[in-house]
Amino acid sequence: MFGQNVTVAMTSVSGHLLAHDFKMPFRKWHSCNPLVLFEAEIEKYCPENFVDIKKTLEREARQCQALVIWTDCDREGENIGFEIIHVCKAVKPSLQVFRARFSEITPRAVRAACENLVQPDQNVSDAVDVRQELDLRIGAAFTRFQTLRLQKLFPDILAEQLISYGSCQFPTLGFVVERFKAIQAFVPEAFYKIKVTHEHEDGMVDFNWKRNRLFNHTACLVLYHMCMEDPMATVVEIGSKPKSKWRPLALDTVELEKLASRKLKINAKETMKIAEKLYTQGYISYPRTETNIFPKDLNLSSLVQQQTQDPNWGAFAQGILDRGGPTPRNGTKSDQAHPPIHPTKYTCNLQGNEQRLYEFIVRHFLACCSQDAKGQETTVEIDIANERFVAHGLMILARNYLDIYPYEKWSDKVLPVYEKGSRFQPTTVEMVDGETSPPQLLTEADLISLMEKHGIGTDATHAEHIETIKSRMYVGLTPDQRFLPGHLGMGLVEGYDSMGYEMSKPDLRAELEADLKLICEGKKDKVVVLRQQIEKYQKVFTEAVAKANKLDQALSQYFGEVTALAQQEEIYPAMPVSIRKCPQCNSDMVLKSKKNGGFYLGCVSYPTCKAAVWFPDSVLEVSKDDSVCAVCKPHPVHRLKFKFKRGSVPPLLPLEFVGCIGGCDEMLREILDLKYLQGPSRPGRSVNLPANYLQANQSLNRMASSENGHVRPTTNPGAARAHRAASHPAPAAAENNAVMCNCREEAALLTVRKEGPNQGRQFYKCSAGSCNFFLWADEQSDDGNRMTHRSFSAPPDSLGERTPGSFRSLGGRGLGRSGSNGFDSGGGGGGTMCKCDQPAITRTVQKEGPNKGRQFHTCPKPREQQCGFFQWVDENVAPGAFSSNQFRSEGHSRGSGSKAKRPSNFSSEKGPTAKRQRTCGICHQLGHTRKTCPQDH
């Protein structure tokens, strides 16, 4: 190989190594509306059962310098070859790639392939990729449409039935239905003819009327009476000419399937299965070929010579060689890839259908390489009352190929010797009647002929499509193996035909097959073909869904009344509408429902991309608005209609309004906590309300009075920032007095399981784990408030009474002005510091409920930068919970380098003189240590 000695490592694959499928969100039937499948993303991946094969290829590729593809030399084989190339080059990009071209597994063919390595044909592989993608999209969309709809409308009959659609499968079904309907619609018509016989010592001779037949009884009767008036027959013409019966053409795949079905009674699927086995064993050439011309460089004599040892046809094979060698009868088709099917090695060890098919291929090959049968045909024409009648005779002179090919008959028909001008009395002259008969149901061979004629499928897929319509119960077989359409098949074809789309006709698929051929030849671009075909079928699908009731009506003729559906019951999943592009992968983001209720905006590329916007439980309803944000990019970013739970938004906002989640609407970002969309933090943002904040308030009031009740929050950056700066979380009871954590969500009630002093004790903590909230359940008062087991006094708000211009934040918490540190230490008291060593600010709860009017300390930073610090002014959260820098006196500041003194009235639960007890390092509660803390379990 390559003109040098090389070390070769051989391995194999099992058909296609990679598979086409939709990305994860679209694979499940109820994940989307079927229409989406025409545009849904498709991926090519290695199925789990082929991963070991893929690993073997990768391992071998790393150790080699060149890769030679030896897959079958047809479209599918070329595509499989490129899958192998893709896998191997991924681990070794420098790998050289070559293609071996061969048509049989023989030493001669292998040597020839090694000496003539070529490059793989990308065009042929592209054609397969196009077909696979279209078959997936079209098949999945129509199959889900039909199955989901008809299973619900005819549950008693079709509840468990997969009602598949394929662009080859349906035209194949269409041929069967068309023939059946032609038989049903057939109206017999009476005809009449005159028949003459002449009995001779050598037998009976039948003379056929040259008019054949008449459909008018009176006309035929008049002519018959004329003949009967003078029934003597005169011989007016005697002819004799050579007659040949042609030997069979070289064998291609379609002929193999048809002849095996007719002559051997083996169906097409079984025929191809056996042929592939014979090929892999080296007994025959490649069985998938469109060629019926033997190449000139193929040594046919050596192939005939191999068969001379057989006791049944060996003598005939020797006779071919003795008469000058094989002279095959060639056809006109060639796929430029494989020769016609022929035997490559002699064997006498086969059994059953394998032996029968091998024998047929051998006999066909020898017959093709032999001579036509020769004979002499005699014609005698007579005249009776000016009506002409003809008799034909045949004398076989040389049977030739018929001696080896028992699948065809040609027999002698002896005529007596007549002389021109002689007269004789016919034995009978009679007028007979009959009637025209309908066409017969299709046999498998008939169906394959129609598929080939109209370009449905290829020689390699005919058997597969026929088997599919049988397995789906669209058609059945009569006792004499003819196709009869079932009720489901009839209903589907009639339903689509009534819509005006002859989807059961071959035109749509035939166009695709022609385009695929042009792709193989490099005359058409695969992207163009793919786009055109998708657009064509998508249009048909859209209109078919709109006229789906016609499909229901067609099937109801066979399955009875359609089952009524509840008014709000949907047959298909809701159409996912793109809200915006994903900021991580640029795929569409669509509205989805959580399993336990609620909503979120998710990326359609999940699980590859896990970007999502989780809306809080306070969002009761959300839907796409018709408006598009003019600011956010990439366009379009659709606005959403929100409906919020009462009490979860600032009181100046209505419960229903429209907003943008693209990032420009900072008020909505604050309400929904859209962290994934937030840009870099903006330092220096003041937490105090600006002097002109009343203007923002007035704009909110204007929004609340919009005519349709849907309010579009302002996109004014100044007003939105002012609101955002003023909005900070504060735990408060929900309407049902549930305990709320620091991130405004209902806290989870848990029980200590670990052995220790607190075993069995219940506590609250953040259900999402996103804040450091903790509260013992038995420290909660009857009205849902926290127990005030720590107390200290706080000064009134530095502004005194709240001004009309102040704004109420999320959950109804009032946001007032505060002093620089938010805590008046009084004489010798310490200032409250948050976790990020900033002076905490003081705010007051304004929401109606048990905590209304209660003050709390929180971090002064903007929300996205907050440290999560929270403290009721009249309550200490847990013993030891405040670090030394959280209470400071004016005389002991951190800046002076000395520690702040802890006020004595906070030293212990037992009073100022009690010994300090050890507390937990996590939750700072008494009675347990860090190792046994319930918050850590």
Side-chain angles (χ1 to χ4, degrees), residues 502-576:
E502 295 186 332
M503 293 168 63
S504 62
K505 298 296 184 286
D507 304 338
L508 279 173
R509 182 66 191 201
E511 289 175 18
L512 171 59
E513 294 291 350
D515 282 346
L516 294 180
K517 205 164 189 177
L518 292 174
I519 292 175
C520 291
E521 297 167 0
K523 297 177 181 177
K524 260 201 170 184
D525 181 66
K526 74 168 189 175
V527 176
V528 174
V529 172
L530 197 58
R531 186 180 68 249
Q532 290 174 345
Q533 291 291 330
I534 288 175
E535 288 175 355
K536 190 183 303 180
Y537 275 98
Q538 189 173 17
K539 181 181 178 183
V540 171
F541 180 85
T542 304
E543 298 191 23
V545 172
K547 301 176 181 177
N549 62 311
K550 293 186 179 293
L551 189 62
D552 308 340
Q553 293 166 8
L555 282 158
S556 65
Q557 299 176 56
Y558 302 100
F559 298 142
E561 289 298 317
V562 174
T563 301
L565 299 177
Q567 189 172 1
Q568 62 270 46
E569 186 175 356
E570 292 185 358
I571 294 178
Y572 311 111
M575 190 80 165

Side-chain angles (χ1 to χ4, degrees), residues 50-114:
F50 290 151
V51 169
D52 289 342
I53 296 176
K54 179 173 177 282
K55 289 179 179 177
T56 300
L57 290 172
E58 291 170 340
R59 184 186 68 239
E60 295 298 330
R62 291 187 181 98
Q63 305 170 20
C64 297
Q65 286 74 50
L67 170 68
V68 181
I69 302 298
W70 286 83
T71 52
D72 294 335
C73 296
D74 59 4
R75 285 187 194 175
E76 296 298 320
E78 205 72 13
N79 189 257
I80 294 169
F82 273 92
E83 291 173 357
I84 297 167
I85 294 168
H86 173 78
V87 168
C88 293
K89 280 210 159 190
V91 297
K92 192 167 185 178
S94 62
L95 200 65
Q96 296 182 71
V97 179
F98 300 94
R99 178 69 159 110
R101 298 283 179 197
F102 60 99
S103 297
E104 55 192 53
I105 304 175
T106 60
R108 184 194 67 81
V110 171
R111 279 195 299 271
C114 286

Side-chain angles (χ1 to χ4, degrees), residues 673-889:
D673 193 18
L674 302 180
K675 293 181 179 177
Y676 97 105
L677 291 171
Q678 290 175 1
S681 60
R682 302 174 186 176
R685 185 180 292 174
S686 172
V687 299
N688 293 325
L689 296 175
N692 64 346
Y693 192 69
L694 182 59
Q695 181 181 354
N697 238 342
Q698 290 168 344
S699 74
L700 284 172
N701 283 320
R702 284 197 299 273
M703 287 191 294
S705 61
S706 78
E707 293 180 6
N708 60 3
H710 290 293
V711 180
R712 305 182 188 279
T714 179
T715 53
N716 180 297
R721 275 196 296 273
H723 164 72
R724 178 165 173 72
S727 302
H728 292 274
E735 291 181 9
N736 58 358
N737 287 334
V739 175
M740 308 295 283
C741 69
N742 294 341
C743 48
R744 307 187 310 277
E745 300 292 333
E746 187 172 335
L749 180 62
L750 305 173
T751 304
V752 178
R753 303 288 185 192
K754 192 163 184 178
E755 292 184 3
N758 288 316
Q759 186 176 18
R761 194 175 179 189
Q762 291 186 309
F763 62 96
Y764 291 97
K765 68 178 295 185
C766 178
S767 58
S770 55
C771 69
N772 62 352
F773 175 76
F774 175 83
L775 174 67
W776 288 111
D778 53 10
E779 292 182 354
Q780 185 184 22
S781 63
D782 293 339
D783 64 355
N785 296 334
R786 300 183 185 182
M787 292 285 289
T788 56
H789 60 279
R790 299 285 183 274
S791 63
F792 50 87
S793 60
D797 195 317
S798 59
L799 293 177
E801 293 295 321
R802 306 191 69 79
T803 65
S806 64
F807 184 70
R808 296 180 179 181
S809 173
L810 183 65
R813 304 172 186 87
L815 305 180
R817 295 175 180 268
S818 64
S820 60
N821 61 5
F823 183 82
D824 187 356
S825 61
T832 302
M833 306 295 287
C834 70
K835 294 179 181 177
C836 46
D837 289 334
Q838 296 292 323
I841 58 175
T842 303
R843 294 194 174 137
T844 306
V845 177
Q846 297 295 319
K847 182 184 174 183
E848 293 295 330
N851 288 318
K852 183 176 181 181
R854 198 173 180 191
Q855 291 185 311
F856 61 94
H857 300 302
T858 187
C859 179
K861 290 184 178 180
R863 178 169 178 74
E864 68 269 14
Q865 302 173 31
Q866 285 182 348
C867 60
F869 170 76
F870 172 81
Q871 174 193 332
W872 289 112
V873 171
D874 59 354
E875 172 184 290
N876 198 354
V877 292
F882 299 102
S883 59
S884 59
N885 65 355
Q886 285 178 313
F887 290 90
R888 303 171 187 269
S889 67

Side-chain angles (χ1 to χ4, degrees), residues 182-201:
I183 295 171
Q184 278 190 321
F186 184 82
V187 178
E189 190 175 0
F191 63 82
Y192 310 92
K193 62 182 179 180
I194 302 171
K195 183 178 179 182
V196 176
T197 63
H198 182 213
E199 191 169 354
H200 193 271
E201 59 185 15

